[in-house]
Amino acid sequence: MKKLLTIAIAMMAAAGAMAQSKVYFTKEITPESLVKVYKALGVEPTGRVAVKISTGEPGGHNYLKPTLIRNLVDEVKGTIVECNTAYGGRRSTSAEHRKAIHEHGFDSIARVDIMDEEGNMNIPVKDTTHIKYDIVGSHLANYDFMVNLAHFKGHAMGGFGGVLKNASIGVASADGKAYIHSAGKVQSPKELWQNLPAQDYFLESMAAAAQGVHDYMNGRVVYINVMNNMSVDCDCDSHPADPKMKDVGILASTDPVALDKACLDIVFNHKATPGDDNKPLIERINRQHGTYIVDYAERIGLGSKNYEIVELK
């Protein structure tokens, strides 16, 4: 009996290890294909829907454009949500951020909510290794469902930005961004740059915050990465480097770890040709040990790196 029980447990463990998260993929990057890949997830939004994007630092031009995302925002009857930044620039205050939102045309397609415009709130995190809670915009409490719509690209500090970064740094208030970036040392943007931690601690803090947001929404989140205009620099950069790798497509999943992992695998396995070079992006990711965030996010139970690509025709 004991032997049979041991075999059964081993079989269950093997089955769990083989379980794969589905990641839906389309090569087309159009308003229609964005809706199509979202619908493939088979998840119906309920209640008040937040569509989390980056509104992009003025001067930059790689952010997801209103013309691309409008159909999806309409489909889910969503409100575009953002938070202020922890660095200088044009989006560090709500007043200037609203001007940037208007200049980039987002307020012409939907209502835009700067979630920390009226302050912060703390939400729990399971992994308290570095951060003891996540500091988000207080307006997050107004939403029942989230579409995490990220632009997959490089990032000067994280190595790359995808849905994990969009859930953590993106949903964090300006104070929360300082808290994550400093791995729990400080909560003021003014103190951030004198308190930067070891790189892996920052990545671990991002993973913990992303899990906090996912849990706060009770898992009512869908995740989408658009792989276009993949500069080595983030949309928070007002003068980003020109992309060297050609556009790939749109990927979506209910598992943020699987989704970011799939996008990383696409970048690292891409065969470079003249005019389509993945090497600068790989170098940026490796320089910041960027792939570690998916390892750690899996370790703390946010998702799985084991995935299956389902290509949409």
Side-chain angles (χ1 to χ4, degrees):
M1 182 67 180
K2 186 176 180 180
K3 184 177 181 180
L4 288 173
L5 182 60
T6 301
I7 293 171
I9 291 171
M11 290 176 67
M12 289 171 64
M18 293 172 63
Q20 293 181 314
S21 296
K22 283 187 168 57
V23 176
Y24 294 91
F25 169 65
T26 175
K27 293 178 182 177
E28 294 183 353
I29 304 177
T30 65
E32 294 76 18
S33 62
L34 184 56
V35 173
K36 184 177 181 180
V37 76
Y38 157 74
K39 285 187 172 181
L41 296 172
V43 179
E44 288 293 328
T46 55
R48 297 158 296 185
V49 179
V51 180
K52 174 64 187 74
I53 64 163
S54 169
T55 49
E57 191 67 25
H61 47 270
N62 295 324
Y63 58 89
L64 301 180
K65 303 301 188 292
T67 51
L68 176 63
I69 73 170
R70 180 173 193 160
N71 288 7
L72 178 59
V73 176
D74 288 346
E75 175 70 28
V76 300
K77 299 179 176 60
T79 297
I80 293 172
V81 301
E82 253 282 39
C83 282
N84 292 319
T85 63
Y87 55 89
R90 292 273 313 280
R91 298 185 300 146
S92 59
T93 68
S94 296
E96 287 301 303
H97 197 165
R98 288 215 171 273
K99 292 178 184 178
I101 287 166
H102 182 70
E103 289 170 16
H104 289 171
F106 290 106
D107 56 358
S108 70
I109 68 166
R111 188 172 78 87
V112 183
D113 182 5
I114 299 175
M115 291 193 292
D116 59 340
E117 191 165 19
E118 296 181 300
N120 305 329
M121 70 176 186
N122 296 349
I123 62 174
V125 294
K126 286 179 181 174
D127 176 36
T128 57
T129 305
H130 306 293
I131 61 173
K132 306 309 176 188
Y133 39 78
D134 189 20
I135 308 172
V136 301
S138 62
H139 291 184
L140 183 63
N142 298 334
Y143 300 98
D144 308 296
F145 188 93
M146 180 178 288
V147 177
N148 180 327
L149 179 55
H151 175 213
F152 188 91
K153 69 288 179 189
H155 191 273
M157 297 187 76
F160 79 97
V163 291
L164 290 172
K165 179 179 177 293
N166 199 35
S168 55
I169 296 297
V171 176
S173 67
D175 292 343
K177 287 176 172 64
Y179 191 52
I180 295 167
H181 269 291
S182 66
K185 290 183 181 179
V186 298
Q187 299 181 18
S188 168
K190 293 179 180 179
E191 300 176 275
L192 168 59
W193 307 110
Q194 293 77 42
N195 289 280
L196 294 178
Q199 177 66 5
D200 282 0
Y201 293 174
F202 163 51
L203 298 173
E204 289 170 2
S205 299
M206 275 208 292
Q211 185 179 45
V213 171
H214 185 90
D215 291 347
Y216 180 79
M217 301 303 296
N218 293 313
R220 293 191 292 266
V221 189
V222 294
Y223 298 91
I224 303 172
N225 271 334
V226 181
M227 298 186 75
N228 72 340
N229 298 321
M230 289 181 286
S231 169
V232 298
D233 295 317
C234 181
D235 297 336
C236 56
D237 193 322
S238 59
H239 297 91
D242 290 334
K244 301 301 181 184
M245 182 175 170
K246 287 186 177 178
D247 296 350
V248 171
I250 306 173
L251 296 91
S253 183
T254 56
D255 181 339
V257 177
L259 180 55
D260 272 358
K261 172 61 173 170
C263 294
L264 286 168
D265 287 346
I266 287 172
V267 171
F268 277 80
N269 294 323
H270 184 74
K271 292 183 179 179
T273 58
D276 185 15
D277 190 2
N278 58 336
K279 292 176 185 175
L281 185 51
I282 289 175
E283 289 171 359
R284 173 58 58 87
I285 294 168
N286 286 341
R287 188 189 77 185
Q288 300 303 111
H289 197 202
T291 59
Y292 177 60
I293 191 173
V294 297
D295 299 331
Y296 193 79
E298 181 183 55
R299 188 187 309 169
I300 63 176
L302 179 52
S304 171
K305 293 188 296 181
N306 194 13
Y307 64 88
E308 171 192 3
I309 292 282
V310 180
E311 186 169 356
L312 304 180
K313 304 299 183 182

